[in-house]
Amino acid sequence: MTRTYSFLSKASTRGLAGNGAGRKAGMVVLGTVGLAMAGCADQSGPGAATGPQAPKAATSHKIGVLLPLTGPNAALGHELLAGAQLALAENGTSTTQGQASALQMDVHDTAAVGGASAAATAAAEAGDGIILGPLTAVDTAAAAPAAQSASMPVLAFTSDVGQARNGVWVMGITPEDQVERLVATARQEGRHRFAAFLPDNPLGHALGNGLLASCRDQGLMSPTIVYHTGSQASITQMMRELSSYDTRRAEAQPDGNAAAPASTPAAPATGSTDTADKALPSDLAAALKGGSDTSATASADGAAQTPAVPKLAPPPFDALLLGDTGLGLKNVIGALADSQVSSANVRIMGPGLWAAFATKLGALKGAWYAAPDPSSRQSFASRFMARNHHMPRPLADLSYDAAKVATTVARVAPNGYPADVLTRSEGFAGVDGPFTLLPDGRTRRALGVFEVLDNGGGAKLLVPATTKSAVSG
C-alpha cells in the first residue's frame, strides 16, 4: 500500500540528514503503465450515459509529490522533497473564489509497495491537481498514465526529452537543449558545417539527436555524426575517418601521394570500453600536453623514425560536438591532435557536464559548453542551507522550480493547473534562471555559453543565459 504523507506549506518540517548516502538516480523517463479507476456513473434514468466518459480536468490546487522516501534513493528523494517544501514555504498560497488559502502538499513514496503506479493512483484518488516528480526512469514511466487519466499535469524530474508530451513536462536540462543553444551560438559566429564525435551510449545518442534536430530547425545542412566504442584504437581511427585525415594528408604531399600514415598507439589492455565513465584524473592536463608527437625523431642509436607529418588543410567541418568525459575525453583530445583538428579552424563544443571539471580542460582551450549561470543559484543555495543545514544537491533545483510553477499557477488560476497557464509565454523564475514550459512537454531553460580557458583557468561566461534561440518555441 502506498505510504502517503500530507503537508501544509506553513507546517514545520524536519531538517534533512546531511550525511545520508543515496545512489545517483538515473534519467527520469515516462512510459505506458495504465490506470484502472472505477467509475460510478448514474445509470438510474433513461438519459444515463453508457459509453466511456472523457476525464474531467483536475480542479484542485493540492500538489501531489511522487518521490522515493525509502529504499536506496531515499536520501535523494528527501533532498528533492526539501526543495519543494522550501518553495511552498516561500510562496505557498492559492486563490480560490477570491480567498487566499495555504496550498496542501500530498506526498507519496514511490519506493513503497505498488511503486510509482500505485503512488500516482493514490494521488488521483486524493484529488491532487498536479504531480511533481517522480524521480527515476521506471517510476515516471509507471506514473504517467495514471496522472494523464486523471488529467493531472506532471512536472517530471527527468532530462529525457523523448518522454516529453502533452501534459507531461521534462524539467531537467536536456542534452538536446544544450546542443540547440550551442548550434545557435556557433551559427551566429559563422559556423555552418557541423559534425559530432560521440560515445556510443545514451548521452552520446541524445547529443547526436539534438544536433540533427538543431541543424534541421536552423536551416543547416545535415551534420556528420560518428559514434565510437570507447577504445583508444577506435577513437583514433574513427576520428581520422571523420576528419578525412588520409585525403587531407595526400593533398599535403608535393607529389599528391599519401605518405604512410603515422603509427597509431596500441590501445591499453583494459578489457573494457567504459573508460569514459571513470573519474577524470587530476593530472589530465599534464597527460594531454604530452600529446602524440608526429614530428621526425631519432632513436638513441640514430635509427630514423616516422617522418614529420606536414600541416594539413582544415577538416570538412567547422564545428565539432564531443560528448566524452573522464579518460575517454583524454583519448579523444589525443585523437584530435593526431588528426590535426584544432580550435584554429574548428569550434569544439561539448556537454554541460564539462562544467564540473573545466579547470582540467586546458588542452581544449576555446571549446564551448552550454550550462546555467552558477551565479543564479547562490540565493537559493543560501536559503536552502538556512532551512536544512546543508548545501542543496543540484537536483533540488528542479523540485524547487516545479513547486514554484505550481504555486505561481495556483495564485492566478481559480481551478486546477490549466495548460494555457502552465505554458504562458513569460515563463517562470527558476533557481538557475528563467524557464518556459512548451506545449509539447519540453522545458526551455536559460543557458549561457561558456568558453574553456587554458592553464587551469576553468571557463568564462561567453554568452549570457537566455531562453531565446534561433528557433521559435
Side-chain angles (χ1 to χ4, degrees):
M1 182 176 181
T2 302
R3 295 172 55 190
T4 306
Y5 310 79
S6 291
F7 297 83
L8 292 176
S9 63
K10 295 185 180 179
S12 62
T13 57
R14 296 176 298 175
L16 296 179
N19 56 1
R23 297 180 183 173
K24 289 184 179 179
M27 269 205 304
V28 186
V29 182
L30 258 64
T32 54
V33 178
L35 166 68
M37 296 185 63
C40 299
D42 182 3
Q43 300 183 10
S44 58
T50 58
Q53 302 297 306
K56 295 181 179 180
T59 58
S60 169
H61 279 157
K62 187 160 62 170
I63 300 172
V65 179
L66 272 60
L67 289 169
L69 302 177
T70 57
N73 286 325
L76 190 53
H78 281 280
E79 184 86 345
L80 271 78
L81 179 59
Q85 288 171 337
L86 176 59
L88 257 69
E90 296 174 346
N91 311 281
T93 59
S94 66
T95 302
T96 304
Q97 295 180 346
Q99 300 294 322
S101 60
L103 285 170
Q104 185 178 3
M105 181 181 285
D106 181 35
V107 184
H108 300 265
D109 183 5
T110 56
V113 176
S117 178
T121 300
E125 293 174 346
D128 296 347
I130 193 170
I131 284 181
L132 314 185
L135 174 62
T136 67
V138 173
D139 284 352
T140 313
Q148 290 184 303
S149 294
S151 297
M152 291 185 295
V154 175
L155 304 182
F157 307 136
T158 173
S159 58
D160 181 6
V161 73
Q163 308 312 315
R165 65 194 69 176
N166 183 26
V168 179
W169 281 272
V170 171
M171 292 296 292
I173 299 174
T174 68
E176 292 84 355
D177 214 18
Q178 297 171 41
V179 173
E180 190 278 333
R181 183 76 168 108
L182 291 170
V183 170
T185 306
R187 183 187 176 197
Q188 292 172 358
E189 188 187 38
R191 312 282 175 172
H192 299 286
R193 294 172 290 119
F194 288 77
F197 190 73
L198 303 167
D200 189 8
N201 60 28
L203 173 61
H205 284 274
L207 291 167
N209 291 338
L211 184 60
L212 285 169
S214 295
C215 289
R216 180 191 65 235
D217 294 345
Q218 298 186 42
L220 299 166
M221 68 176 72
S222 183
T224 301
I225 301 177
V226 170
Y227 297 97
H228 65 78
T229 60
S231 70
Q232 183 176 336
S234 165
I235 288 173
T236 301
Q237 181 58 37
M238 297 181 78
M239 178 62 75
R240 287 189 171 193
E241 294 175 2
L242 175 65
S243 65
S244 301
Y245 175 82
D246 290 341
T247 300
R248 292 158 57 219
R249 185 166 182 183
E251 292 172 348
Q253 300 304 315
D255 58 0
N257 296 320
S263 59
T264 300
T270 59
S272 172
T273 60
D274 62 352
T275 55
D277 295 329
K278 296 181 180 178
L280 193 75
S282 59
D283 62 345
L284 174 61
L288 293 174
K289 285 180 180 179
S292 56
D293 186 3
T294 56
S295 62
T297 59
S299 65
D301 59 4
Q305 302 299 304
T306 304
V309 176
K311 184 176 181 179
L312 307 184
F317 47 82
D318 56 16
L320 178 64
L321 176 66
L322 305 179
D324 280 275
T325 60
L327 293 177
L329 182 57
K330 173 183 179 294
N331 291 333
V332 169
I333 297 175
L336 290 172
D338 173 80
S339 297
Q340 292 195 23
V341 177
S342 71
S343 59
N345 42 49
V346 175
R347 176 61 65 191
I348 306 296
M349 306 177 296
L353 293 173
W354 284 3
F357 50 88
T359 57
K360 303 180 187 299
L361 295 177
L364 285 175
K365 177 187 176 182
W368 290 352
Y369 61 83
D373 184 348
S375 64
S376 302
R377 192 175 188 259
Q378 294 174 357
S379 175
F380 165 73
S382 298
R383 302 195 313 274
F384 185 98
M385 187 170 185
R387 181 182 176 91
N388 298 289
H389 312 296
H390 69 273
M391 292 296 288
R393 299 186 189 184
L395 278 177
D397 300 15
L398 300 184
S399 60
Y400 182 94
D401 285 355
K404 185 72 176 291
V405 169
T407 60
T408 301
V409 174
R411 285 198 301 270
V412 299
N415 298 298
Y417 297 88
D420 61 335
V421 182
L422 288 167
T423 57
R424 63 184 194 172
S425 59
E426 63 266 37
F428 302 89
V431 170
D432 298 304
F435 63 94
T436 304
L437 303 182
L438 303 181
D440 62 2
R442 293 177 298 150
T443 299
R444 178 69 72 220
R445 289 189 173 272
L447 299 178
V449 175
F450 293 79
E451 182 173 300
V452 174
L453 305 175
D454 61 357
N455 298 323
K460 67 177 181 180
L461 180 61
L462 183 69
V463 183
T466 178
T467 54
K468 296 181 180 180
S469 70
V471 183
S472 60

